[in-house]
Amino acid sequence: MDLILRDLRTGDRSALERILLASAAFSAEEVAVALELIDLGEEPVADGYRFVVAERGGAVAGYACYGLVPLSDGCYDLYWIAVDPGLHGRGIGRRLMAAVEERLVRQGARWLLIETAGKPEYEATRAFYARVRYQEVARIPDFYRLGDDKIVYGKRLDRRP
Ligand SMILES: CC(C)(COP(=O)(O)OP(=O)(O)OC[C@H]1O[C@@H](n2cnc3c(N)ncnc32)[C@H](O)[C@@H]1OP(=O)(O)O)[C@@H](O)C(=O)NCCC(=O)NCCS
């Protein structure tokens, strides 16, 4: 089935909320923050939150949210990525990452960075980032909690083959 990658639309909120709630990875607090960003993204402003939504068979299958790191020139953070748990492992996350990277390369971005946690619950997420060729560029031990590091993954977008 064809996958369409497109901008965020106002009607996407409920489908994205369902995907976030169904993702075991996210706490209630994290879902609330993700929804706040979606609400902000519905009214785009310069240098605000940007979204790529994946649609499959007319239904929302996942999304990625990213934005410029304030005061940086060409450095972006990936804030969120989520795929419908029923559709994991079919290449949708990889396509979302590629779509974000393509948009940023066109804008002349240098870095796409992803902050994540070192706790065991995020092991699958870290494996995904490694598969889509992100490298650990920084780590702060015991950042979120004792034993839970902050790990920053990154990819240079201006030095691609
Ligand atoms: C992480 C996530 C976005 C990946 O999406 P996906 O569509 O399942 O991933 P893909 O099918 O595109 O996989 C891309 C590559 O990553 C690998 N990968 C994906 N999930 C993996 C896992 N759980 N363990 C190991 N490797 C994994 C795939 O094998 C694939 O590698 P390959 O193409 O070289 O074979 C998805 O699992 C998800 O929504 N997780 C919950 C939310 C989350 O953790 N978000 C990140 C924090 S904001």
Side-chain angles (χ1 to χ4, degrees), residues 36-150:
E36 269 176 38
L37 302 193
I38 290 166
D39 292 337
L40 289 170
E42 286 175 352
E43 290 169 31
V45 290
D47 297 338
Y49 298 106
R50 299 273 174 258
F51 291 80
V52 178
V53 172
E55 188 181 304
R56 187 173 173 274
V60 172
Y63 82 109
C65 169
Y66 63 100
L68 183 69
V69 176
L71 302 182
S72 79
D73 169 23
C75 192
Y76 287 77
D77 270 330
L78 184 87
Y79 295 115
W80 237 270
I81 181 165
V83 170
D84 185 333
L87 298 172
H88 282 183
R90 298 181 193 204
I92 297 173
R94 184 184 279 282
R95 294 275 306 273
L96 280 166
M97 291 299 307
V100 171
E101 291 170 19
E102 276 163 28
R103 288 173 181 211
L104 292 178
V105 166
R106 279 203 298 271
Q107 291 172 25
R110 276 195 321 285
W111 278 103
L112 182 54
L113 300 171
I114 311 169
E115 286 183 12
T116 192
K119 61 184 173 183
E121 291 89 324
Y122 276 84
E123 198 175 324
T125 306
R126 295 194 299 272
F128 167 74
Y129 294 140
R131 291 301 296 170
V132 293
R133 304 179 63 150
Y134 281 74
Q135 287 181 336
E136 184 178 320
V137 293
R139 178 185 284 256
I140 304 176
D142 299 328
F143 179 84
Y144 294 106
R145 280 172 193 77
L146 208 57
D148 187 7
D149 301 350
K150 179 198 276 203

